[in-house]
Amino acid sequence: MKKTFAKLMIVFAAALLIGAPQAVQASDLKGDLEIFSWWAGDEGPALAALIDIYKKENPGVNVINGTVTGGSGVNAKAVLKTRMLGGEPPDSFQVHAGQELIGTWVKADRMEDLTPLFKEMGWMEVFPEGLIKLIGTDKGIWSVPVNIHRSNVMWYVPANLKKWGVEVPKTWDDFFAAADKLKAAGVTPLALAQNWTANHLWESVALASMGADNWDALWAGKLPFDSAEGVKAWELFGKVLQYTNADASSLSWQQATDMVLDGRAAFNIMGDWAAGYMTTTKKLVPGEGYGWIASPGTTGEFMFLADSFGLPKGAPHRDNAIAWLKVLGSKEGSDTFNPLKGSISARTDTDLSKYNGYLQSAAADFGKDRVVGSLAHGVAANETFMGGFATIMEMFLKTKSPDAAAKACAQLAKKSGI
Ligand code: GAL
């Protein structure tokens, strides 16, 4: 009897051990780790969750969460440039996959090659080949992707549309028909915020106007910006702007989302970090508190971008930074970060059961849609183009001249090596 009891206890203890979560292997790393990004305030919770994982694994490291507020990195990128040129890089910084990384920091020879890390961690097998191409050159791999965001999404509140008797628009013509009705009822048809969100809106409108093949051709230097297609995109954009709020330039992207949520506006076109904001910060249930559809005229197209972090040459705490990159690329890190952020995992082995209804639909679309790269968020063009484009946008918002904007883009493309 005693023997049987002892045996039982051993089996019980073994079962407990197997069932117990794997104990975290704490490293003996010491000193600081400065992480630089624009994920401040409302954009912070997903990053904070990643930092929590890092702290558990590296309890001796003092993490400095260096953020510079401003959607899409408008302010952070300027600070980063000053620091990098002044020889004071952070240990690791946020940068978009694509030309923002390759055509800017890699071209200037400011990044460390992470190929050995990708091999050590088995990441060559878990990140999609197409994405690795966007963060790599023939000389190396230059950052670790943390997510896939979708740029071309239109957001609304289903109950409000019902109240106003308005359908969700599939095309811009549908939108214009609904917009006149909304205007008459005193509702702003499309909420817009500060100027970078105009760039964001422009890319969705341009994709609808010219189609995915022409969009790709534009960035490959095969379709001139001042072609008929290029001018037409600006014309449609000008028309869409007539249905936006007059105080746009003084609002953050979150405030434009708020306009939709509290019924001052009907729609907003924003990347799916807006889903993160509405779910994580506003505690709304996707499909109930907010609805979504591909921005008008882009059904079946997924305009994507990916946030990533790199290791600048001369990072003051290189080992701590590498440990940080390991957390970012891990399955646990990815599936903790993305459900809060409003993005899907960049890893192919992601656990979709951890993601809400919106994100599951985004993952399904990413798997079947035509995927194109975002301009406003670093995939399509380098920082030289982006800087110039912001100026062209400011000019267009004042003059509303499609021809002048298209011509200026053509000149800028030449100057930035497109
Ligand atoms: C994008 C970035 C997103 C989100 C957004 C708004 O550029 O990729 O993760 O932060 O800006 O700030």
Side-chain angles (χ1 to χ4, degrees), residues 42-46 149 155 253-254 257 270-284 286 290 337-343 356 358-359:
D42 286 332
E43 294 215 63
H149 265 308
W155 309 96
W253 69 263
Q254 291 96 329
T257 306
M270 189 36 61
D272 48 14
W273 43 90
Y277 172 65
M278 290 186 279
T279 310
T280 308
T281 306
K282 297 283 173 177
K283 310 276 179 249
L284 295 173
Y290 65 91
F337 172 85
N338 286 302
L340 295 168
K341 183 68 173 65
S343 39
N356 65 32
Y358 166 71
L359 291 169

Side-chain angles (χ1 to χ4, degrees), residues 38-39 43 71-72 96 149 196 253 273 305 307 341 377:
W38 58 87
W39 289 333
E43 294 215 63
S72 87
H96 288 122
H149 265 308
W196 74 263
W253 69 263
W273 43 90
L305 60 118
D307 291 301
K341 183 68 173 65
H377 308 279

Side-chain angles (χ1 to χ4, degrees), residues 190-379:
L190 189 68
L192 191 66
Q194 62 188 123
N195 286 15
W196 74 263
T197 72
N199 301 346
H200 185 104
L201 175 62
W202 184 84
E203 67 182 14
S204 269
V205 172
L207 179 63
S209 169
M210 66 177 66
D213 285 343
N214 282 329
W215 178 259
D216 282 347
L218 208 56
W219 305 110
K222 290 182 183 145
L223 176 72
F225 281 82
D226 52 359
S227 59
E229 291 85 347
V231 176
K232 255 178 86 185
W234 282 102
E235 279 167 3
L236 179 59
F237 180 66
K239 188 163 177 204
V240 171
L241 281 183
Q242 292 170 13
Y243 295 92
T244 58
N245 42 307
D247 63 348
S249 66
S250 66
L251 303 184
S252 67
W253 69 263
Q254 291 96 329
Q255 287 173 313
T257 306
D258 291 345
M259 285 181 69
V260 174
L261 294 180
D262 59 28
R264 280 174 291 150
F267 302 103
N268 174 230
I269 290 179
M270 189 36 61
D272 48 14
W273 43 90
Y277 172 65
M278 290 186 279
T279 310
T280 308
T281 306
K282 297 283 173 177
K283 310 276 179 249
L284 295 173
V285 176
E288 291 171 27
Y290 65 91
W292 64 90
I293 188 172
S295 56
T298 67
T299 309
E301 290 162 346
F302 191 113
M303 188 171 267
F304 103 104
L305 60 118
D307 291 301
S308 74
F309 281 77
L311 178 63
K313 284 186 173 167
H317 310 94
R318 187 176 179 279
D319 290 347
N320 296 350
I322 289 175
W324 164 244
L325 297 177
K326 284 183 179 171
V327 172
L328 293 181
S330 70
K331 184 170 168 173
E332 186 201 356
S334 189
D335 285 342
T336 303
F337 172 85
N338 286 302
L340 295 168
K341 183 68 173 65
S343 39
I344 54 175
S345 176
R347 291 179 59 118
T348 49
D349 61 352
T350 177
D351 178 359
L352 271 182
S353 71
K354 296 196 167 144
Y355 292 72
N356 65 32
Y358 166 71
L359 291 169
Q360 289 183 0
S361 87
D365 287 351
F366 188 64
K368 65 174 164 49
D369 282 3
R370 166 79 181 267
V371 176
V372 295
S374 157
L375 163 68
H377 308 279
V379 182

Side-chain angles (χ1 to χ4, degrees), residues 93-110:
F93 65 84
Q94 177 184 1
V95 61
H96 288 122
Q99 281 303 305
E100 185 179 313
L101 169 71
I102 303 297
T104 313
W105 300 117
V106 175
K107 195 169 156 214
D109 195 22
R110 299 284 174 154

